[in-house]
Amino acid sequence: MQRGSDRLNVHRDDEMKRELQGRLRSGHPTRAEEWNDPEPEADDDPRVTTGPVPGRPLGDPEETEAEALRFDLARYLGRGTFPAGRRTVLYTLRERNAPDALVDTARELPEGREYRTVQEVVDALGRHPRS
């Protein structure tokens, strides 16, 4: 819905989107000043920043492991990967530079099955968190 308060008209807005599209998809920083780029993730960053939801009480270790696995798989696979078979899951993980440990875990997936969600992948790997 147009509210009439836009600084630019629709055509100029589309033109600016096309101009920025290449920069945003380039895969490298788009700023001229290095100090203005976001810092990459450090190797010694705490696991809680990339694991299950922080602040949630820790329960059964198997449940926590299943949640962490589901979180990591969802982070690298995304929704667009599914439905997918074992080969597609492995290819996508490698293509998106997933950690080797995650790729090794995904190699345990059985052949000949199609997965519709990350949860189905976690279940096929034998990790079943309690609800």
Side-chain angles (χ1 to χ4, degrees):
M1 178 174 150
Q2 290 290 336
R3 296 191 178 133
S5 62
D6 294 339
R7 289 182 16 201
L8 305 171
N9 68 23
V10 177
H11 301 292
R12 178 66 180 134
D13 192 36
D14 289 340
E15 182 181 325
M16 289 176 69
K17 284 180 189 175
R18 281 193 299 278
E19 288 175 5
L20 287 174
Q21 188 174 19
R23 289 183 188 171
L24 295 175
R25 291 187 180 182
S26 67
H28 58 78
T30 58
R31 294 178 170 40
E33 302 91 7
E34 283 186 33
W35 61 267
N36 210 1
D37 287 335
E39 282 190 32
E41 185 177 308
D43 292 337
D44 60 346
D45 279 350
R47 179 78 178 129
V48 290
T49 60
T50 58
V53 179
R56 196 163 168 214
L58 293 176
D60 183 17
E62 289 180 15
E63 184 176 332
T64 305
E65 178 188 345
E67 285 183 23
L69 178 61
R70 185 177 63 227
F71 178 85
D72 287 340
L73 286 170
R75 183 175 174 201
Y76 288 100
L77 293 175
R79 292 180 182 168
T81 305
F82 297 100
R86 178 182 184 269
R87 291 179 64 188
T88 304
V89 169
L90 289 172
Y91 174 80
T92 305
L93 288 173
R94 280 189 232 110
E95 195 66 22
R96 295 184 180 168
N97 299 318
D100 292 337
L102 189 60
V103 175
D104 291 342
T105 301
R107 283 193 181 110
E108 299 172 18
L109 285 170
E111 278 285 349
R113 208 172 143 201
E114 186 172 86
Y115 307 100
R116 293 176 296 154
T117 64
V118 172
Q119 185 60 50
E120 287 184 11
V121 173
V122 173
D123 290 343
L125 289 169
R127 275 65 167 209
H128 305 284
R130 287 184 233 144
S131 299

